[in-house]
Every structure is written in structure tokens, then in C-alpha cells.
Amino acid sequence: MIEAAAPDGIRQLDAETLLERLLGDRDSSGVRAAFDELRRSGTPFHRLAPGADGCSYAVIGEPAGGQLRILLRQADQPGSRDTTAVQPQSAAGPATGAAGHDLQVLLDRAPMITWLRDAGGRIVWCRGRIATRHGTVDCAAVAQALRLTPRPAAEKRPAAGPDAEPPAAVAADPVPRRFRMEIPGGAQGARIVLDAAETDASDGGSIGFAVDAAPLLEAEQTLSRFVRTMTETFAHLTVGLAIFDRNQTLVMFNPALVQMWQADPAWLARRPSLREIIDRLRANRRIPEAADFHGWRRKLTGLFEDTEAADYEELWHLSDGSDIRVLARPHPHGSLAFVFDDITERLRLEQQFRHSIDLRRATLNRLDEGLAVFDHDGLLQIVSAAFHEIWGTDAASIRPAMHARELMPLVAGLTVETDVWRRMLTFVTSDETREPWDARLTLGSGRILRARFAPLPDGSTLAAFSDITDSERFARALHERNEVLEAAEEMRSAVLDQISHRLRTPLNTIFGFSQLIADRSFGALSDSQRGYAEGIIEAARQLLASVDEVSDLAALEIDRAYDEDGGPALADTLMLTGQLLERRAAEAGINLRIGTPGAECDPASEPGRLRQIAFGLAADAIGRCPAGGSVELGARPLDPALVEIFAIVRPVDGGQPSQLSPTADPPTHGFLRRLAEQEGGSFVFSVAGAAGPEIAVRLPNRAAEQAEIWEAADVDRPRDGADGVTSEDCGLAEPEGVAGGDQGPGGKLAS
């Protein structure tokens, strides 16, 4: 079925003849292919084709019941509904000939679909094809979708009749109207999305274009993901972020900024201006106190005059002690991005770090050792004041970051040893596993240094130098003294051997033969002979006892470890003497009591000699005391400058001590006298003392020196002792395990 607007003489022809007469040999618009598709599948088409007579025709084919309907309209005829389709390309005349053909080829091959609507919104013609990833979209599918989709933002206008004039009174809108359409029939049931735009034509109709929207959709999705990612990132930032547009309006902020500003998020969401925000922050005291607030605010708002050149950085010191670092940098489209970083904790840590560094340097400078620290590259990092003092350098000659190779010539020439410095240089710059080591250096001045080199955890090296000259001198003196003491020990051993061999052996012989004579082993003796024998035995016994006492005194070694730090107190020395002699006293049936002197009794004597004096006094008194008696060993101050160490023999009632002439000088007394004189004291022996025979040694008192110190300091001192103080004033105690009875007046048991 053929309808109007066809040239005369072709109305009654069949379709094949019609197309042959209309198109001739030219079919650039694809009308024949579209007609074949219409007969095969019923797909409608709308084509603008140049006719064989040089005119342009709109060919519309569509199914109509059981028939196919083809409509022909002369597009370039005035008043035709398809005239608009050729007007955009016929400004200089109708699109005929080669120009019209080229335009049709362009529309068919362009990756878009073009259509024309009349003033009533009906599709007049449609051309083009779009290949997408989900399938191909032709103009028929687009035309079908456009029929179901009202013209966007289009004003409904009355349809123009065949004889009506074009509605020139209505002005065309030059701004295209954009919309999207979905075309079914894609691969796997997918719907193909097209991005379309329509613009008004001068006759009241519209021209539309559609392209594949997949790239734009992907870009929009990528942008959406990017915005979402940025939003989440900004939400987790610890720094505050605020973006202001060119109108100084807040367009974006993150939660950290809300917390830092202590502001209401709802108020910030209303997009206040920068000036309003500054005023609100000033009211909340969240900006620094400025002497010229208005000038300071103008400085901030003035950044928007040239946002591309904006480069703002300032440290805000807030009233609560916080420190906020504020940066302003350009943002696209004339905006500014402000970054607020709370660096309070960072500044505090930096201050603590600088303080620790200063404290470490001050500590190193107080050490006697000269320290130098080199990093893993051999560069000098730290040098102490003692280092300069030891090596005679200064800060000008040894500078920071000096390499160990430069430092070595300054100090290597001062020492006798040279290989130490080569080893040190290798040790400092080595990357292998290192072990600490030390060396001994001798300076040209005679001073001796000890050098120690040790690796540090970060790969650095510590070099420490200490002056051990005095220590070496003391060690040498101690070594020499030790040799002297060893020689004295050998001499003492030799003396003991001589005493044992040359004295005890003859005495034992005399004592043995005397006992044989007294026991009548060689016959009967007269009374006078028996008296002589007993005298010999008694004299031998006394001489043997004296030899034993001298041997005991010579064998009494000095406990050097016990004598450190000034030795024990006098009371401890007396107690130790009692423990050494308690067995001898018990065997002789003598009660040995030890006095406990006070702090005012502090003899100025070497501890070893003091023990020998106490031992000699107690041993002599025990040998002089008869069985059943007691011996008191104690000390008392005679005056502030003198201490007397005494031993008193107290025989039992009616008993008599061994008599000895005051002029006699047994070996023990001579030994005690020499010891007392060596310590600046004296030896005293009284046969008939107030309580019995008394043996004493008087020594200088250290308490006198302490008293002078007290007097110089104007400090009260303890009561000095006085002459005539008895042994009871010093307190006497009986050593544990000593047999005996009466403690004596004022005596105390030893604890």
C-alpha cells in the first residue's frame, strides 16, 4: 500500500517498481535493505533518500495489519513535514546531488543515531546505528523508544497541517535538552543505555542525537567511587580538612575538623562563610589571640583574591595550650583547601627529645672519661669535654661530622703506640660483627690512658679514654708492698722455725732429764738435790711458757681484709682476743672477763698491732693469775688524748698472784713495750695495783682529734673520760664458753 506525496505516475505500482522508479541506481540511504528487513521481520524504517529526479523523499515503511505500508513524502517541498530534515544541510540550497549523498553517508556511519521530530513530537525520520559492548542498536529501536518517551521539557504545540505555515512565532531554545534512554534487547537480557540530546528546530520540531552512554556511565561510577573513597579517607584523617569555594563558603569538612574546632556539625553543614566561622571560633577561643584581630581576619579572607598564588602557613597557639599548624593551598575552580594539624603532642615530644639530648650531653661532659661517638660511616657525632681535656684539643680543632680518618692524626702523634689507631679506624668503619676491645696507651708526657672501643646498637662506635696514671702508680706501690710483706712473712716463718728448733728442743731435753732425776730414775736424791731438780723443772716450765707466748705473738697474723676501712673497733678487738684465749684460760681454771669500752676509747693504732697488744696483755695476765682467779681485759680513757688498754689479775680471796719484780723484764713485756713505742704510746706494769697486778699499754686517742673538730664547729661533744675511771666504767664481759664463776663488780656477760 502506497500513500501520498509520491511523484505522479507511481501510485499504482508495486513496491519493487516503486523503489526502482524512485531511487534509480542510487541507494545511498539503504532504503532497499530497510524494505527487505520490513518484509522479512516487520521492522519499520524511516529514510531520507534522494530521488532519481533530483528531489529528496522521505520513505517511511511500517507493517499495517497483514500488509506493508510505505509512505513517500517530498522532503524539500514547502509545507512538507519532512522539510525540516533537510534544512540544516541546505542553508545554501537544497541538499541534492553529491552533498545530500555525503550527508546521508555521514549520518549512517557516525557512531550515533539521529532523528527528527515534528512540532507534535512525532518521529519524522531516524538514521544511524550504534555498536555497544552489549549489542548493536539501530534507529528503529531508538524510534520505538522515542515514541514511548515524551519529548523532555518540550512544549506541546499544535500539529501543523499540510497547508499551514511554519510556526515561526515560537522562538527555538538553543540549549539542548539531555536525557537518557534504555533500549532492551542487549546481550544476556541487558538493557543498553544511550545518552541523548534534543534541540529545537525553527519550525517547532526538534532534532535529536543519541550516543552510547557506557563510557559516561563508567566515568560516573568511577567518579562516585572516588568521591566515596575520598570521603571515607577524609573521615579517618587525624588532621582537619576544610574546603571553601570561590565565594568563601564552606563546601567540605571532615570529622577531625569538628572535634578540633569544637563546633556543631549541623551548623557546619549549613555551609557558613569563612568570616562567620572565624567569628564563631573566636567566640569559642579556638583561634590565637591576635593584637589586631580585624587585620588578621583580612589576611585570611584576602587569600581568595588570588587563590592560585595562595601559600598560607601559620602556627596557632590556643588558650588551652594546643598548637595547631594551619596550611592553605589552592584548590580547583578558585577554591582553597585549609588543613588543620594538631601538633601539640609532636612539639611536646620534640621538646622532650631536645631536653634528653641536652641532658645526655651534660651528663657525658660530667664524666671523667673522654668519650667520642662515631656513626656507621665513621663521622664524629658526640665528643665530651673530658676528651678535649685528655687530648688537649678544643671545639675548633675537632668539629662535628669530622671523619675518624681526620681525627686520628690529631691524637695519634701524642701516643707511643700507633697500631691502636689503625685498628680503631678499621673497627669504626667495619660492617662486620664487632666485639668490644680495649688497649693501653702511653703519652709522651708519661701519662697512661686506657682506651675502650665498643659497638652501639645502631651501628655507631663508642670510644672511651680514661687516665689511669694514678691507678697504675698505686698498683705498682701495692705490688712493691706485697713483695715486702711476703718477705716479712718468710722472715716470720724463719723466726718461728728457729724458736721451735733452737729453744723448744733444748728446753724439752732439760725438762725431760730433770723429771727423770726428780723421779729417782738414777737413784735416791737428797733433799737438797730434790730441791735443785724441782727448781730446774719449774724454771724450764716458765721458760717454755715464755717461748710459747712469744711464738703465739709472732704467729698472730694481721687480717688485711678485716683491717680495711680503718679496722674494727676496740671493743671488737678485745672480744676477739678473749675468744682466742678462752681455751687457755679455761684449762688454767681462770675466769677471763672482757670489758666493753665506749666510743670515747679509740686508740690511734694500726689494727694488727692493736690486736697484738691486747693479746700480749691478756696472755701475760693469764700466766700470772693463779687457778680460780680472774683476769679483766678492758680499756679506759685517761684523758681526751690518751687511752689505756689494761689487763688486771684478780686472785681468789687469800690467793697470791705470781710474784714478779717491777724491775724484771720478761720477753712479753719487752715485745709489748716495742709495740707501744711504735704507735707513740708507752708500757706500764704495776705489781701491786688497786685490785691486783696490772699490765697496761697507753696509746694516743683518736677521740681527741674528733673533739678538736667539734670545738672548731662549736658543737656539743660527749663527756670526756677522766683519770681514775675503773674497769667497771668500761663494762666487763665474760667470753662465751669460759669457765669461771664470779663476774666481778659491774661486769657484763658477753652477748
Side-chain angles (χ1 to χ4, degrees):
M1 183 174 62
I2 302 174
E3 293 188 1
D8 295 339
I10 64 173
R11 292 179 180 270
Q12 305 300 326
L13 299 178
D14 58 39
E16 295 292 342
T17 305
L18 172 65
L19 295 178
E20 183 68 26
R21 293 280 302 273
L22 177 65
L23 302 177
D25 297 335
R26 301 173 60 184
D27 187 14
S28 59
S29 59
V31 174
R32 287 190 176 90
F35 178 72
D36 293 340
E37 184 68 22
L38 174 62
R39 285 193 304 180
R40 184 171 56 255
S41 60
T43 304
F45 67 90
H46 186 176
R47 295 286 187 271
L48 182 64
D53 57 357
C55 298
S56 296
Y57 294 94
V59 183
I60 301 174
E62 58 185 9
Q67 299 178 347
L68 299 178
R69 184 172 60 181
I70 299 177
L71 292 86
L72 299 178
R73 295 189 182 94
Q74 190 171 348
D76 53 358
Q77 182 179 356
S80 174
R81 290 180 295 176
D82 292 292
T83 304
T84 310
V86 298
Q87 286 180 355
Q89 50 182 307
S90 58
T96 59
H101 175 72
D102 294 340
L103 178 60
Q104 293 176 12
V105 173
L106 176 63
L107 294 177
D108 289 339
R109 295 184 179 180
M112 65 178 179
I113 296 177
T114 310
W115 66 87
L116 177 66
R117 292 180 191 258
D118 60 14
R122 292 173 297 182
I123 303 298
V124 177
W125 60 264
C126 181
R127 299 186 69 88
R129 183 184 299 268
I130 301 176
T132 68
R133 66 180 63 180
H134 298 295
T136 302
V137 180
D138 56 11
C139 60
V142 173
Q144 184 66 23
L146 289 173
R147 290 190 183 96
L148 301 176
T149 304
R151 186 167 59 179
E155 179 184 356
K156 291 185 179 181
R157 302 171 184 177
D163 300 329
E165 295 292 333
V170 180
D173 186 2
V175 179
R177 297 177 295 277
R178 298 184 179 276
F179 60 96
R180 283 182 180 170
M181 62 176 66
E182 294 184 357
I183 308 298
Q188 299 180 356
R191 301 179 70 86
I192 302 174
V193 181
L194 301 180
D195 194 13
E198 282 191 347
T199 182
D200 292 339
S202 58
D203 62 350
S206 61
I207 301 175
F209 308 89
V211 296
D212 185 10
L216 185 58
L217 288 176
E218 292 179 357
E220 291 177 351
Q221 293 174 359
T222 302
L223 179 60
S224 177
R225 289 193 299 268
F226 175 75
V227 172
R228 185 166 58 253
T229 302
M230 293 299 295
T231 302
E232 294 177 357
T233 302
F234 291 157
H236 292 87
L237 286 178
T238 58
V239 298
L241 178 65
I243 299 178
F244 294 86
D245 60 13
R246 66 181 62 190
N247 298 321
Q248 303 183 19
T249 301
L250 180 65
V251 295
M252 184 177 180
F253 63 92
N254 65 340
L257 185 71
V258 176
Q259 182 178 2
M260 196 175 301
W261 280 357
Q262 299 178 4
D264 183 10
W267 179 75
L268 294 176
R270 290 197 290 268
R271 304 180 65 180
S273 65
L274 177 60
R275 180 181 292 269
E276 293 173 345
I277 291 176
I278 292 176
D279 293 339
R280 177 68 67 91
L281 294 179
R282 185 188 185 192
N284 295 337
R285 304 188 68 183
R286 300 305 299 169
I287 60 175
E289 299 291 341
D292 183 9
F293 168 73
H294 297 286
W296 180 81
R297 185 175 60 184
R298 282 195 301 271
K299 178 182 178 181
L300 286 179
T301 57
L303 296 174
F304 289 86
E305 297 177 359
D306 187 5
T307 56
E308 295 298 329
D311 187 12
Y312 174 81
E313 181 174 354
E314 187 177 1
L315 184 61
W316 290 5
H317 300 283
L318 305 185
S319 58
D320 61 351
S322 302
D323 295 288
I324 309 297
R325 182 170 174 260
V326 183
L327 300 175
R329 294 293 182 267
H331 205 64
H333 309 297
S335 303
L336 278 181
F338 286 83
V339 179
F340 299 83
D341 187 7
D342 189 348
I343 60 174
T344 306
E345 185 66 17
R346 188 188 312 167
L347 292 180
R348 186 183 65 83
L349 293 177
E350 289 179 358
Q351 184 179 5
Q352 289 183 351
F353 178 74
R354 288 194 298 268
H355 176 70
S356 63
I357 291 296
D358 295 340
L359 180 61
R360 188 178 298 112
R361 289 184 181 276
T363 303
L364 294 179
N365 288 333
R366 296 299 185 276
L367 296 177
D368 294 334
E369 286 186 310
L371 303 178
V373 178
F374 301 89
D375 65 7
H376 62 281
D377 293 328
L379 300 179
L380 182 64
Q381 299 295 317
I382 299 175
V383 60
S384 65
F387 183 91
H388 294 305
E389 182 178 353
I390 291 175
W391 295 104
T393 57
D394 53 21
S397 59
I398 297 182
R399 62 187 185 279
M402 173 185 285
H403 198 273
R405 191 178 294 103
E406 302 177 63
L407 175 64
M408 189 172 65
L410 300 178
V411 295
L414 304 177
T415 62
V416 177
E417 298 82 3
T418 57
D419 56 337
V420 175
W421 302 109
R422 289 191 295 270
R423 183 181 176 186
M424 183 205 78
L425 182 60
T426 304
F427 183 78
V428 168
T429 57
S430 175
D431 294 332
E432 300 177 356
T433 303
R434 302 177 298 170
E435 296 295 334
W437 59 282
D438 55 4
R440 187 174 182 272
L441 300 175
T442 304
L443 302 184
S445 60
R447 296 165 56 199
I448 302 174
L449 302 180
R450 180 193 178 197
R452 294 185 296 114
F453 304 93
L456 298 180
D458 61 347
S460 301
T461 303
L462 172 66
F465 303 91
S466 55
D467 190 342
I468 60 173
T469 306
D470 295 337
S471 301
E472 290 287 326
R473 186 182 300 113
F474 294 151
R476 190 181 303 109
L478 291 175
H479 180 71
E480 294 175 353
R481 182 178 179 184
N482 184 63
E483 293 179 349
V484 173
L485 292 176
E486 290 178 354
E489 179 67 18
E490 294 178 357
M491 292 179 62
R492 186 183 64 82
S493 300
V495 169
L496 291 177
D497 292 341
Q498 292 294 328
I499 291 175
S500 176
H501 178 69
R502 296 193 177 187
L503 292 179
R504 281 197 176 94
T505 301
L507 285 175
N508 289 334
T509 302
I510 295 173
F511 187 74
F513 280 109
S514 299
Q515 285 184 336
L516 289 175
I517 294 173
D519 292 341
R520 301 177 182 180
S521 299
F522 300 101
L525 299 176
S526 62
D527 293 338
S528 59
Q529 289 176 341
R530 185 180 298 105
Y532 295 151
E534 291 177 355
I536 293 173
I537 293 173
E538 181 63 23
R541 183 183 292 110
Q542 291 180 1
L543 184 57
L544 185 60
S546 298
V547 171
D548 291 339
E549 290 179 4
V550 173
S551 299
D552 291 339
L553 290 175
L556 188 61
E557 298 183 3
I558 299 176
D559 191 352
R560 295 178 180 85
Y562 192 61
D563 293 341
E564 292 181 356
D565 299 330
L570 178 59
D572 296 334
T573 301
L574 298 181
M575 188 62 64
L576 177 61
T577 302
Q579 293 174 359
L580 294 174
L581 294 174
E582 62 182 356
R583 182 176 179 180
R584 183 186 299 184
E587 291 176 352
I590 298 171
N591 181 18
L592 178 60
R593 294 191 296 169
I594 307 300
T596 306
E600 66 275 7
C601 296
D602 187 15
S605 174
E606 183 179 343
R609 290 191 179 127
L610 186 61
R611 286 199 299 273
Q612 290 178 337
I613 291 173
F615 186 89
L617 292 174
D620 185 78
I622 291 172
R624 198 175 301 281
C625 182
S630 63
V631 172
E632 298 176 3
L633 179 64
R636 58 196 171 198
L638 298 181
D639 56 56
L642 202 61
V643 174
E644 183 180 70
I645 304 173
F646 60 86
I648 302 176
V649 179
R650 296 181 181 272
V652 295
D653 295 340
Q656 294 293 329
S658 299
Q659 298 297 325
L660 184 64
S661 172
T663 59
D665 192 5
T668 304
H669 290 188
F671 180 74
L672 292 174
R673 182 177 290 105
R674 286 192 299 273
L675 290 177
E677 291 175 353
Q678 290 176 359
E679 297 298 328
S682 59
F683 174 77
V684 178
F685 173 65
S686 175
V687 177
E694 181 176 335
I695 311 168
V697 172
R698 295 174 181 176
L699 300 173
N701 192 3
R702 286 197 187 97
E705 301 176 1
Q706 188 67 31
E708 294 178 358
I709 297 175
W710 286 333
E711 290 177 357
D714 195 16
V715 177
D716 294 339
R717 57 179 178 175
R719 180 180 61 87
D720 293 336
D723 293 340
V725 177
T726 63
S727 61
E728 288 81 357
D729 295 332
C730 296
L732 298 175
E734 180 180 358
E736 184 177 355
V738 176
D742 187 14
Q743 300 179 28
K748 299 180 182 178
L749 293 176
S751 59

